[in-house]
Amino acid sequence: IDRRSQRTLTAIRQAFLRLLASRRFEQISVSDIAAAAGIGKSTYYEHYRSKEDLLSRMMDGMLRSLAGTACSAIPPAEIEGLLQHFWDNRRLGRVVFAPPMANQVGRQLVQLILDGIRDSGGDAESPGARLFAIDRAHGQIALLYAWTTGEVPASIGEVANSLSGAPLPQR
């Protein structure tokens, strides 16, 4: 990607994040994002198909890490950096992990979990795999929402343990 395209992508992402801080996802249009980024809609569409595509691509790496916790035994320490990012950006997390955005994020996370099942040689097409993916994805999103809103006061380590499927601490 050339520098001009990189600047445009950065402007789009920053504009989207600013808009998300002040409006609900469904109230934001591509026109709003383009205007806030100082670009035309045609330039926006050179990079993204929709606002959902923008959200999906911005969240992809983070959701891949969460999906990894559902598909394998990832040590909690491996996701603590991601959780620190969520905590540091909890105001935005409260938007992303709440409806209606949680529905879009959840669909993407379900697919990433199914991809992980397929990659590990499992039958990702079975109803059981889909049910598992839905359960884990939406459970993770609910946990992150409860944590970032303060409903469940917990340390990053405790959240990491829960997401990674580590056994509960014994007294």
Side-chain angles (χ1 to χ4, degrees):
I1 298 178
D2 64 28
R3 284 187 205 181
R4 187 172 64 89
S5 291
Q6 189 59 48
R7 281 193 307 270
T8 300
L9 290 171
T10 299
I12 291 170
R13 291 179 186 133
Q14 290 175 346
F16 184 55
L17 291 173
R18 284 192 310 273
L19 289 168
L20 282 174
S22 63
R23 298 188 212 168
R24 294 180 58 88
F25 179 73
E26 70 272 9
Q27 296 171 327
I28 299 169
S29 68
V30 168
S31 295
D32 296 332
I33 299 167
I39 61 169
K41 279 176 55 176
S42 62
T43 301
Y44 178 92
Y45 285 118
E46 287 176 23
H47 300 283
Y48 300 102
R49 293 184 312 269
S50 63
K51 67 181 184 179
E52 291 81 8
D53 180 40
L54 171 58
L55 173 65
S56 174
R57 288 169 54 187
M58 287 178 71
M59 297 284 303
D60 188 66
M62 293 177 274
L63 295 180
R64 284 184 187 282
S65 294
L66 287 176
T69 67
C71 299
S72 62
I74 291 180
E78 287 189 25
I79 59 169
E80 287 182 2
L82 174 62
L83 294 175
Q84 184 66 57
H85 173 77
F86 288 151
W87 184 254
D88 292 344
N89 296 283
R90 61 189 170 276
R91 183 167 183 244
L92 182 57
R94 292 174 188 146
V95 173
V96 171
F97 300 129
M101 287 185 69
N103 300 328
Q104 167 75 20
V105 171
R107 282 190 296 275
Q108 185 177 356
L109 187 52
V110 165
Q111 188 56 55
L112 290 169
I113 292 170
L114 289 171
D115 291 347
I117 292 169
R118 186 175 301 105
D119 292 347
S120 66
D123 180 8
E125 306 306 318
S126 73
R130 184 145 191 86
L131 290 170
F132 171 80
I134 290 168
D135 175 63
R136 285 306 301 250
H138 292 283
Q140 288 179 336
I141 290 168
L143 182 151
L144 291 168
Y145 179 77
W147 179 57
T148 57
T149 60
E151 180 183 334
V152 178
S155 70
I156 288 174
E158 290 168 324
V159 175
N161 282 338
S162 182
L163 288 172
S164 69
L168 292 174
Q170 301 297 314
R171 289 190 181 246

